[in-house]
Amino acid sequence: MATSSPPKVPPLGKYLASSEKKIRDKAVKNLAVFLSNDESNVMSDIEMAKLWKGIFYCFWMSDKPLVQQALAQELSELVLTITNVPSSLNFLTGFWVTTVREWNGIDRLRMDKYYMLVRRFVNASFRLLVQAKWDVSALREYNYILTSAGGPLCPNDVRVPASLTFHLAEIYLEELENALASSEPSLPVPLLALLSPFITLAAHTPTNTTYKHLQEALFQPLLTALQPRTSNPCKRARVSILEYPTILTNVCTYAPKMDPPLDAGALRETILQKLFAVASAQDTRDANRRKMYALYKSAVEDDEDSVG
């Protein structure tokens, strides 16, 4: 008996990038129907690249803020329309590879809407992982997508635009907070696992500005939010204070089904230990090692001052 082959990807690319909004809208609806079919989940790399080229330019053609916002939401929801996690992650791979490849060609008038699109996809990615109950293999694959060649946090891929990496660092915890707040209560958030790609990038990036941005936009605000209150206002005035109430009320390190929940103090200590351990690794760049040690030392001194 002959086995049935997966349905061929419909030729949606030219319709997705049409100059006519009605045609683009219909193509997005047809794409959602196609992706929701269990048998349509598996696509070759070539098919995925063609599909994402069309999706990218579908968004390129959108104008007017409300239209752009609605389309960004509709496209990001496709991540959750797909019926299994591996195929959703494959779809996300297509998003990031295409975004990294096309980013430098985005003109300044369109840049803000693509920043918004990235934000929507980051949010949808977190909701996908929540639905998967923070499955360890899914989380590992998600981090691999971000850090491998073509991903926005790959430390040795010269094609990755710095502005995209910076934006991701700026919105990552904010969108994690938003995704958790809009989802049903779940297992503890494996925050250290989610931070691992950024810590790895901090250790290996050859660019001083990238390291500086990671520290100022991500590591310092988080460590500050986790720091016990102190009577010394100067210590808490070094960086802006960001709070993540939904994240920090139910958080662990790597595996929610195995690791115990942590309070803010224990989480801060664990993150600092991770930063120190990665800084101490033999393959960490020397300049980055010194900066990570300095961050660790400053945080420890803050803790000592708050106790004193």
Side-chain angles (χ1 to χ4, degrees), residues 60-167:
W60 179 282
M61 298 294 291
S62 66
D63 57 6
K64 300 179 181 178
L66 291 179
V67 172
Q68 294 164 4
Q69 292 170 24
L71 181 57
Q73 189 64 33
E74 189 173 10
L75 292 176
S76 65
E77 290 297 324
L78 293 173
V79 173
L80 302 167
T81 298
I82 299 172
T83 54
N84 66 76
V85 173
S87 294
S88 292
L89 292 171
N90 189 39
F91 187 71
L92 276 174
T93 300
F95 167 73
W96 283 118
V97 169
T98 302
T99 300
V100 168
R101 184 182 64 241
E102 303 291 341
W103 191 263
N104 286 330
I106 301 172
D107 58 80
R108 64 180 183 83
L109 296 177
R110 288 183 170 91
M111 186 57 74
D112 282 348
K113 73 176 183 180
Y114 277 97
Y115 279 137
M116 176 180 62
L117 184 66
V118 168
R119 183 183 284 273
R120 295 290 188 273
F121 268 85
V122 169
N123 184 286
S125 300
F126 287 139
R127 286 185 286 131
L128 174 69
L129 293 171
V130 169
Q131 289 184 12
K133 301 186 185 302
W134 298 111
D135 177 74
V136 172
S137 61
L139 185 52
R140 186 183 301 116
E141 178 63 20
Y142 175 68
N143 283 345
Y144 177 78
I145 292 168
L146 297 180
T147 57
S148 60
L153 300 180
C154 182
N156 52 15
D157 188 342
V158 296
R159 300 170 299 171
V160 178
S163 58
L164 179 57
T165 302
F166 294 174
H167 181 59

Side-chain angles (χ1 to χ4, degrees), residues 231-295:
S231 58
N232 184 347
C234 295
K235 286 295 182 181
R236 293 197 61 86
R238 290 183 179 179
V239 294
S240 61
I241 299 172
L242 298 178
E243 303 293 346
Y244 313 103
T246 310
I247 298 173
L248 300 183
T249 54
N250 193 22
V251 66
C252 67
T253 52
Y254 294 100
K257 294 181 180 179
M258 299 175 59
D259 299 337
L262 300 175
D263 61 24
L267 179 60
R268 177 180 162 90
E269 182 178 354
T270 302
I271 292 172
L272 287 173
Q273 289 173 350
K274 176 68 174 180
L275 287 168
F276 188 89
V278 172
S280 303
Q282 187 174 0
D283 60 345
T284 295
R285 292 175 62 89
D286 287 341
N288 300 14
R289 187 194 324 277
R290 291 192 292 271
K291 294 170 187 173
M292 294 175 79
Y293 280 156
L295 174 61

